[in-house]
């Protein structure tokens, strides 16, 4: 895999995309951990309004991502669209910093930043187009390397930003750093990313907006998105219950939370590359099923944890399983509409939204009928259901050597 990645990095499209997605992750990692504090504590939004705002923003993001993916396939030029969505991010983050008020925060969160979020799908679409000639397994390895760049930004940036802002009375400068990251990304894409053509737009009827939506909502595609979303919902459930289990059932402290989350994030960067190598030897459906099984075991053990050392002991298995769940679905989802890199990559955003929605429902149900530990077990059950559906849909086809 290392030789494939080194070879791929000689490609200016892939090399620039890796740097661009790191800067994309930088902007998100610089602000996301502090977004609720800025919106609620510093700008005075109510808890209920903030929750509704975040939900609508996620809905806007998935709508924009799908739309941008469809447009990218029609015009056959990812670079121009990338410049547009990056500029939206620079303006959105800069607006919050320059004009700190409820109105500017709402405008940025609801309109400008969700558009910037579509850059994730565009970059993976661009990488997929460049990697297609390398073959399926090499493409999976390249996807893993690109995805590791996002995880690396989340390992490095939140702690550094928190340290820089610790002596200040406001967290708003985080939005300035994010805006500067977007401007750096804008220059990077403008000067270094070669223009590439996407899917040949002669298939104009199939590339229409309604035809593209129908393709996403077809039973063949939608059932598989649901399967992957169930699997990925375990990540969101873990993000919600882990801090609560650490400080409640396990009797730990907020310091323990920071150490565990940081350690797992670092392990994810390493293990994402390991999973890319694993996919050279087994089909990515099998790899995703294996990664799901590992993460389900982690979630079950988390549900039974009663001491801080239990949580620490689970970091290795958590990082290994999570690395599979955040990297392998990218290739799997792109393959669902393999000849449409833009639309296929937009399924990444659809999966993130649906996985988040499912996890919110699981958290609400789990905390209603049980405690936080029971909610972790419910999350594990969702992972099992998603894995079973995945194998039901693709197990026979995978063994026969074909995919949908």
């Amino acid at each position: 895999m290392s030789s494939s990645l080194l070879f791929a990095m000689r490609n200016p499209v892939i090399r620039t995309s890796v740097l661009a997605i790191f800067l994309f992750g930088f902007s998100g990692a610089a602000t996301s951990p502090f977004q609720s504090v800025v919106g609620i504590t510093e700008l005075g939004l109510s808890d209920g309004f903030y929750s509704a705002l975040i939900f609508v923003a996620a809905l806007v993001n998935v709508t924009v991502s799908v739309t941008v993916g469809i447009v990218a396939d029609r015009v056959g030029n990812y670079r121009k669209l990338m410049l547009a969505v990056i500029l939206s991010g620079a303006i959105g983050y800069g607006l919050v910093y320059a004009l700190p008020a409820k109105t500017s925060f709402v405008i940025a969160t609801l309109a400008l930043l969700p558009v910037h979020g579509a850059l994730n799908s565009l970059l993976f679409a661009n990488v997929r187009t460049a990697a297609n000639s390398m073959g399926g397994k090499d493409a999976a390895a390249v996807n893993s390397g690109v995805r590791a760049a996002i995880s690396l930004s989340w390992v490095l940036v939140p702690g550094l930003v928190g340290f820089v802002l610790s002596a200040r009375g406001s967290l708003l400068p985080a939005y300035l750093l994010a805006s500067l990251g977007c401007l750096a990304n804008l220059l990077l894409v403008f000067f270094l990313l070669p223009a590439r053509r996407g899917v040949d737009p002669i298939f104009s009827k199939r590339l229409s907006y309604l035809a593209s939506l129908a393709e996403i909502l077809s039973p063949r595609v939608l059932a598989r998105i649901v399967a992957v979303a169930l699997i990925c919902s375990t990540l969101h459930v873990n993000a919600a219950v882990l801090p609560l289990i650490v400080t409640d059932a396990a009797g730990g402290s907020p310091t323990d939370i920071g150490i565990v989350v940081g350690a797992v994030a670092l392990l994810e960067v390493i293990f994402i590359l390991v999973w890319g190598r694993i996919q050279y030897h087994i089909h990515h459906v099998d790899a995703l099923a294996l990664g799901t099984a590992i993460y389900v075991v982690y979630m079950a053990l988390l549900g039974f944890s009663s001491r801080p050392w239990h949580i620490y002991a689970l970091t290795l298995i958590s990082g290994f399983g999570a690395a599979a769940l955040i990297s392998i679905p990218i290739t799997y989802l792109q393959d669902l509409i393999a000849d449409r890199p833009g639309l296929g990559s937009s399924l990444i955003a659809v999966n993130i939204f649906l996985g988040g929605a499912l996890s919110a429902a699981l958290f609400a149900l789990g905390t209603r009928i049980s405690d936080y530990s029971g909610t972790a077990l419910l999350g594990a059950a969702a992972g099992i259901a998603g894995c079973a559906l995945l194998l039901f849909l693709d197990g026979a086809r995978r063994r026969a050597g074909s995919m949908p």
Side-chain angles (χ1 to χ4, degrees), residues 12-178:
V13 173
I14 294 176
R15 184 172 61 248
T16 304
S17 295
V18 169
L19 296 174
I21 209 158
F22 176 83
L23 288 172
F24 171 76
F26 172 91
S27 295
T31 54
S32 291
F34 315 111
Q35 180 176 265
S36 59
V37 177
V38 170
I40 296 173
T41 304
E42 295 198 27
L43 301 181
L45 298 177
S46 68
D47 293 342
F49 183 84
Y50 178 79
S51 298
L53 179 67
I54 296 304
F55 174 78
V56 176
L59 189 59
V60 172
N61 172 248
V62 71
T63 303
V64 171
S65 295
V66 171
T67 302
V68 168
I70 294 170
V71 172
D73 287 334
R74 287 185 65 87
V75 302
N77 191 322
Y78 299 127
R79 182 173 172 273
K80 289 181 180 179
L81 289 169
M82 286 182 196
L83 292 172
V85 299
I86 294 172
L87 182 60
S88 178
I91 295 172
Y93 289 121
L95 180 65
V96 174
Y97 175 74
L99 300 172
K102 292 180 182 179
T103 301
S104 60
F105 185 86
V106 170
I107 292 173
T109 305
L110 200 58
L112 296 169
L113 298 184
V115 173
H116 179 243
L119 179 63
N120 183 55
S121 298
L122 278 174
L123 283 168
F124 277 107
N126 206 38
V127 167
R128 180 57 184 259
T129 303
N132 270 342
S133 60
M134 299 177 62
K137 291 185 177 180
D138 284 325
V142 172
N143 271 341
S144 296
V146 175
R147 182 58 183 80
I150 299 180
S151 293
L152 183 61
S153 68
W154 277 86
V155 170
L156 300 175
V157 175
L160 290 175
V161 172
F163 176 78
V164 169
L165 299 183
S166 60
R168 298 176 176 268
S170 171
L171 292 172
L172 282 168
Y175 281 79
L176 173 61
L177 294 175

Side-chain angles (χ1 to χ4, degrees), residues 263-285:
V264 170
L266 181 59
L267 289 170
E268 286 174 0
V269 176
I270 300 170
F271 287 140
I272 283 173
L273 300 178
V274 173
W275 280 107
R277 186 173 184 82
I278 289 174
Q279 290 177 82
Y280 269 90
H281 304 287
I282 63 175
H283 196 279
H284 56 253
V285 171

Side-chain angles (χ1 to χ4, degrees), residues 167-373:
R168 298 176 176 268
S170 171
L171 292 172
L172 282 168
Y175 281 79
L176 173 61
L177 294 175
S179 183
L180 293 175
C182 288
L183 290 175
N185 214 359
L186 193 70
L187 295 174
L188 176 75
V189 171
F190 183 80
F191 287 108
L192 297 182
L193 186 67
R196 291 183 62 91
R197 290 194 59 80
V199 174
D200 193 337
I202 61 172
F203 304 106
S204 57
K205 183 177 180 181
R206 187 181 170 217
L207 293 175
S208 70
Y209 189 81
L210 291 179
S212 298
L213 287 182
E215 196 161 359
I216 293 176
L217 297 175
S218 67
R220 179 188 71 84
V221 173
L222 187 59
R224 289 168 171 82
I225 293 175
V226 171
V228 176
L230 278 167
I231 290 171
C232 293
S233 70
T234 58
L235 293 168
H236 299 284
V237 172
N238 176 69
V241 301
L242 175 62
L244 301 169
I245 291 176
V246 168
T247 56
D248 185 17
S253 67
T255 301
D256 294 315
I257 298 172
I259 294 174
V260 169
V261 171
V264 170
L266 181 59
L267 289 170
E268 286 174 0
V269 176
I270 300 170
F271 287 140
I272 283 173
L273 300 178
V274 173
W275 280 107
R277 186 173 184 82
I278 289 174
Q279 290 177 82
Y280 269 90
H281 304 287
I282 63 175
H283 196 279
H284 56 253
V285 171
D286 294 325
L288 183 54
L290 176 60
T292 303
I294 292 170
Y295 204 72
V296 163
V297 170
Y298 156 71
M299 290 291 288
L301 293 174
L302 177 65
F304 289 108
S305 297
S306 58
R307 296 288 187 275
W309 72 265
H310 294 167
I311 309 295
Y312 283 101
L314 292 175
T315 53
L316 194 63
I317 186 174
S318 173
F320 192 47
L325 269 57
I326 63 179
S327 62
I328 299 174
I330 294 171
T331 303
Y332 177 82
L333 292 168
Q334 287 177 324
D335 283 347
L336 293 181
I337 312 178
D339 61 337
R340 302 277 303 281
L343 186 62
S345 297
S346 74
L347 299 182
I348 299 169
V350 176
N351 174 63
I352 292 172
F353 175 77
L354 188 56
L358 288 170
S359 71
L362 290 168
F363 184 81
L365 176 62
T367 52
R368 183 176 181 85
I369 65 176
S370 182
D371 54 12
Y372 300 131
S373 297

